[in-house]
Amino acid sequence: MAESIARLETSADGMQLFGEIDFASVMPLEQRGRTWLLESAPADCRLDLAGVKRCNSAIAALLLGWKRVAQGAGKKLRIENPPAALRGIMELAGLRMSSRADR
């Protein structure tokens, strides 16, 4: 199923995750996101999770890592549109989320 393939797309103002995010897919995504945050991201950028179909706790480590990279670079990373299954994991990890309505 093409939907289950994890991928990260970047644009001028943010990143968007798609597919199934798990322990097998998280490492290549982490490096690509880290590079974008350090080299291309604006001071206020977003991470859209609307395309995430399935995930496990590996996504919490990924998001925390990216938040730390952004903070270390003096940037703000907003997490948008988390799937319902991810909200509990994010709250336990202390990650803030927003929706399009909050913007």
Side-chain angles (χ1 to χ4, degrees):
M1 218 156 89
E3 286 182 358
S4 67
I5 297 171
R7 74 179 197 278
L8 176 67
E9 293 183 4
T10 60
S11 64
D13 69 337
M15 302 184 287
Q16 187 169 10
L17 274 176
F18 295 91
E20 185 172 330
I21 312 304
D22 58 20
F23 295 105
S25 64
V26 81
M27 289 307 292
L29 296 172
E30 192 282 331
Q31 184 57 49
R32 183 159 184 237
R34 174 184 296 273
T35 300
W36 183 83
L37 285 165
L38 292 172
E39 297 177 4
S40 303
D44 186 9
C45 51
R46 63 181 181 79
L47 172 60
D48 189 348
L49 302 177
V52 174
K53 300 302 177 195
R54 291 180 17 171
C55 60
N56 62 25
S57 60
I59 197 168
L62 178 68
L63 299 179
L64 281 169
W66 283 346
K67 289 283 262 185
R68 287 182 184 128
V69 168
Q71 184 177 25
K75 299 174 182 183
K76 179 181 176 185
L77 178 63
R78 291 177 284 113
I79 299 171
E80 300 177 343
N81 303 311
L86 178 57
R87 290 184 184 135
I89 294 170
M90 290 177 65
E91 288 171 10
L92 285 172
L95 293 167
R96 292 189 58 202
M97 51 190 159
S98 65
S99 66
R100 298 252 177 217
D102 294 336
R103 295 176 83 190

